[in-house]
């Protein structure tokens, strides 16, 4: 029933988008868009919108709570459900509408497109999954579509339990705009020890040179070394941020986003060459394989031996009851933690404001984070978790998070704005398809120019 509700609404919204798009073109800037007539100004929603808030509260009695995400895989679904369960126990009269939508270019491309439509049309969902960092700030906060959450942080004591750096990443002009539910690590090499053992390899490769040595042995034995799913621009963008962090030190990598290091840098060329070579050792059908398929492939008997992917993979593999895998930092990235964080915020004009505020309380709570993260494969954003509920991988990740150098993920919204993520993912997809390093690098240079890095 919930799904049907979503699909109907989706179609309607596509129409609404067209109308809105036309209206925007015709009206130019004559009238402010619907989202610009918010319930509250940046100065503080809680204090400034009492009338609208109480209306929203009334409407919320027995009402809905609609949450957008792209979490549809094993582990993702169960983790979100764990949050919903806690919420459901506390607020049994609220109907949760789980509006999850997978696929699309870039991370969560389809969901983000629909979200944009809804936001532009003045019909935001109550909340949505959003990456902490540029994705949150540039796409939604600067566009003046979100309420600040400083008052909620104060009420829930979140200023004391989230690391200061994380609060800063969630903040714009001194106020946080979303509640992080986790910390994911991008640079993990997942490997099948039994596959490596088939070619006499006991330890996973620590560098790309070692990777190609192992890959050659695997190739001779008819085993793809690297699992890749590039039927749309997405997966390879993830792998590439890992390779970039092998050829660049953190300072240079960060410089790619503030204009101090150009995307024509030779270390970018080197990273593209490495990825280009790695495709020779990937599952040969990688251009027609989807992200969902690759997880099934990785647990199959004839699986590729290794996969470079974020630690939601741990959640996916656990949800399949699969155990023949281990992990290590992606080649060349030991001592670095490519970080990203999923969060939820409060859109201006959220239809069920009280319901979503209560959901955000659950998201930020110790109980919520300790229920969600052990299933999702991520570590909690809070610094006071119950360590007993976290497994060996997650305890390893927690240690690395504390001691490693943290660098922001590109593909997952931490380092750069959404328009760049898309252009970036398309450039790397072009490499996967055309195998032309110079062309892909030119596309990256163009993407950086279009994004205005350093201006
Ligand atoms: C990331 C997201 C993770 C995970 C992953 C794969 O962008 O932050 O939570 O869902 O995509 O879908």
């Amino acid at each position: 029933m919930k799904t049907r509700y979503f699909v109907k609404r989706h179609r309607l919204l596509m129409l609404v988008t067209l109308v809105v798009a036309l209206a925007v073109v015709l009206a130019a800037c004559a009238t402010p868009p619907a989202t610009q007539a918010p319930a509250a100004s940046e100065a503080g929603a809680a204090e400034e919108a009492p009338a609208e808030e109480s209306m929203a509260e009334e409407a919320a009695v027995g009402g809905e709570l609609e949450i957008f995400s792209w979490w549809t895989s094993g582990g993702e679904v169960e983790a979100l459900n764990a949050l919903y369960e806690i919420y459901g126990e506390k607020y049994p009269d609220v109907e949760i509408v789980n509006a999850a939508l997978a696929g699309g270019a870039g991370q969560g491309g389809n969901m983000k497109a629909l979200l944009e439509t809804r936001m532009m049309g003045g019909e935001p969902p109550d909340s949505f999954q959003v990456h902490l960092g540029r994705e949150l700030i540039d796409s939604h906060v600067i566009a003046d579509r979100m309420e600040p959450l400083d008052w909620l942080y104060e009420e829930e004591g979140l200023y004391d339990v989230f690391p200061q750096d994380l609060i800063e990443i969630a903040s714009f002009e001194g106020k946080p705009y979303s509640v992080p539910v986790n910390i994911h690590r991008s640079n993990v090499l997942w490997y099948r020890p039994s596959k490596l053992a088939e070619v006499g390899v006991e330890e996973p490769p620590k560098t790309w040179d070692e990777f190609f040595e192992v890959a050659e042995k695997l190739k001779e034995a008819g085993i793809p070394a690297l699992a890749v799913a590039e039927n749309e621009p997405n997966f390879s963008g993830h792998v590439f941020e890992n390779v970039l962090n092998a050829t660049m030190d953190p300072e240079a990598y960060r410089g790619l986003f503030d204009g101090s290091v150009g995307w024509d840098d030779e270390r970018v060329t080197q990273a593209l060459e490495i990825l280009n070579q790695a495709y020779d050792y990937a599952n040969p059908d990688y251009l027609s394989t989807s992200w969902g398929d690759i997880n099934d492939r990785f647990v199959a008997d004839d699986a590729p031996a290794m996969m470079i992917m974020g630690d939601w993979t741990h959640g996916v593999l656990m949800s399949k009851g699969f155990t023949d895998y281990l992990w290590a930092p992606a080649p060349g990235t030991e001592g670095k933690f490519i970080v990203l964080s999923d969060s939820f915020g409060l859109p201006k004009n959220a239809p069920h404001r009280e319901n979503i505020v209560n959901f955000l309380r659950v998201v930020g709570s110790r109980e919520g984070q300790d229920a969600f993260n052990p299933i999702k494969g991520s570590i909690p954003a809070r610094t006071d978790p119950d360590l007993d509920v976290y497994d060996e991988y997650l305890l390893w990740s927690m240690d690395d998070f504390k001691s490693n150098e943290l660098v922001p993920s590109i593909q997952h919204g931490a380092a750069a704005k959404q328009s760049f993520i898309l252009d970036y993912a398309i450039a790397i997809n072009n490499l996967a398809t055309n195998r032309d390093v110079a062309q892909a690098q030119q596309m990256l240079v163009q993407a950086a120019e279009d994004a205005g890095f350093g201006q």
Side-chain angles (χ1 to χ4, degrees):
M1 209 168 79
K2 284 177 184 171
T3 316
R4 218 181 320 132
Y5 163 83
F6 179 67
V7 170
K8 267 201 220 150
R9 203 174 167 92
H10 183 150
R11 286 206 191 110
L12 177 68
L13 282 161
M14 285 307 178
L15 281 175
V16 171
T17 322
L18 282 178
V19 174
V20 169
L22 267 178
V24 167
V25 171
L26 292 175
C29 298
T31 44
T35 47
Q36 305 274 312
S41 79
E42 273 174 28
E47 309 90 52
E48 288 199 13
E52 295 198 29
E53 188 179 331
S54 61
M55 269 171 58
E57 276 175 19
E58 256 169 49
V61 174
E64 289 174 350
L65 171 66
E66 186 188 29
I67 307 281
F68 264 37
S69 78
W70 61 86
W71 285 334
T72 56
S73 296
E76 299 176 341
V77 174
E78 292 88 339
L80 192 53
N81 281 341
L83 284 181
Y84 291 161
E85 241 167 67
I86 296 174
Y87 184 90
E89 276 161 24
K90 291 186 198 288
Y91 311 101
D93 294 337
V94 175
E95 189 200 349
I96 298 171
V97 179
N98 182 40
L101 187 59
Q107 215 61 31
N110 289 342
M111 180 216 106
K112 286 176 186 167
L114 181 57
L115 178 67
E116 188 68 11
T117 304
R118 292 273 299 262
M119 294 292 255
M120 297 290 288
E123 269 201 85
D126 293 309
S127 192
F128 53 91
Q129 170 195 358
V130 62
H131 287 127
L132 223 58
R134 301 319 319 170
E135 187 180 308
L136 164 72
I137 304 299
D138 291 342
S139 303
H140 303 291
V141 177
I142 292 176
D144 200 22
R145 296 171 184 167
M146 306 297 283
E147 290 193 27
L149 295 173
D150 46 330
W151 56 275
L152 184 76
Y153 270 53
E154 262 152 34
E155 276 178 36
E156 297 297 306
L158 300 180
Y159 282 119
D160 302 327
V161 293
F162 289 146
Q164 187 53 36
D165 286 355
L166 209 63
I167 297 177
E168 269 161 33
I169 296 172
S171 297
F172 180 66
E173 295 179 344
K175 291 185 178 179
Y177 277 84
S178 72
V179 180
V181 66
N182 66 0
I183 306 284
H184 265 307
R185 183 177 193 171
S186 155
N187 57 318
V188 188
L189 177 78
W190 306 96
Y191 64 99
R192 300 272 311 259
S194 58
K195 297 277 162 197
L196 294 187
E198 278 186 47
V199 294
V201 173
E202 279 173 12
E203 293 294 324
K206 280 192 161 37
T207 62
W208 279 100
D209 283 346
E210 281 181 29
F211 174 89
F212 288 118
E213 274 169 37
V214 176
E216 198 49 47
K217 289 186 188 160
L218 288 162
K219 194 168 203 168
E220 276 162 29
I223 303 172
L226 194 65
V228 179
E230 193 62 12
N231 72 329
E232 56 189 356
N234 212 338
F235 194 101
S236 284
H238 180 102
V239 180
F240 188 63
E241 71 180 23
N242 279 256
V243 189
L244 267 181
N245 274 286
T247 63
M248 302 185 103
D249 60 48
E251 205 191 323
Y253 173 77
R254 285 193 203 99
L256 290 171
F257 311 103
D258 65 15
S260 60
V261 176
W263 283 80
D264 55 357
D265 191 280
E266 63 172 8
R267 288 161 294 184
V268 177
T269 318
Q270 213 184 328
L272 286 165
E273 277 163 359
I274 290 174
L275 180 57
N276 193 30
Q277 191 182 345
Y279 289 131
D280 291 342
Y281 300 94
N283 41 298
D285 59 350
Y286 69 88
L287 286 176
S288 57
T289 303
S290 73
W291 197 314
D293 295 341
I294 203 71
N295 292 315
D296 289 335
R297 290 282 280 289
F298 194 68
V299 303
D301 287 345
D302 60 350
M306 297 174 271
M307 171 154 76
I308 292 174
M309 194 29 70
D311 50 11
W312 42 89
T313 302
H314 185 47
V316 175
L317 298 179
M318 284 191 294
S319 79
K320 294 181 184 296
F322 184 69
T323 54
D324 176 31
Y325 67 100
L326 287 171
W327 52 86
T333 67
E334 190 160 7
K336 295 177 191 171
F337 192 115
I338 307 181
V339 66
L340 61 124
S341 167
D342 295 303
S343 72
F344 292 88
L346 176 57
K348 289 183 172 178
N349 299 329
H352 311 96
R353 191 173 185 282
E354 188 190 10
N355 291 352
I356 184 56
V357 166
N358 288 334
F359 182 71
L360 296 179
R361 291 185 207 282
V362 171
V363 167
S365 70
R366 187 175 191 247
E367 184 189 10
Q369 302 219 341
D370 283 346
F372 177 87
N373 287 298
I375 307 173
K376 183 71 166 67
S378 42
I379 59 176
R382 289 179 69 111
T383 49
D384 62 348
D386 172 4
L387 292 178
D388 288 348
V389 301
Y390 293 90
D391 66 16
E392 197 191 339
Y393 168 75
L394 292 166
L395 295 173
W396 176 79
S397 176
M398 280 182 204
D399 278 352
D400 274 8
F401 183 68
K402 278 186 215 137
S403 61
N404 284 4
E405 174 120 27
L406 306 183
V407 288
S409 160
I410 307 171
Q411 182 71 27
H412 307 277
K417 60 182 165 190
Q418 180 62 20
S419 60
F420 179 77
I421 301 171
L422 280 180
D423 292 346
Y424 162 89
I426 289 167
I428 307 303
N429 178 264
N430 186 278
L431 178 74
T433 313
N434 296 325
R435 310 292 301 272
D436 183 337
V437 165
Q439 192 180 63
Q441 187 156 16
Q442 186 44 43
M443 289 173 80
L444 290 171
V445 169
Q446 185 63 48
E449 198 181 312
D450 293 348
F453 290 153
Q455 278 169 22

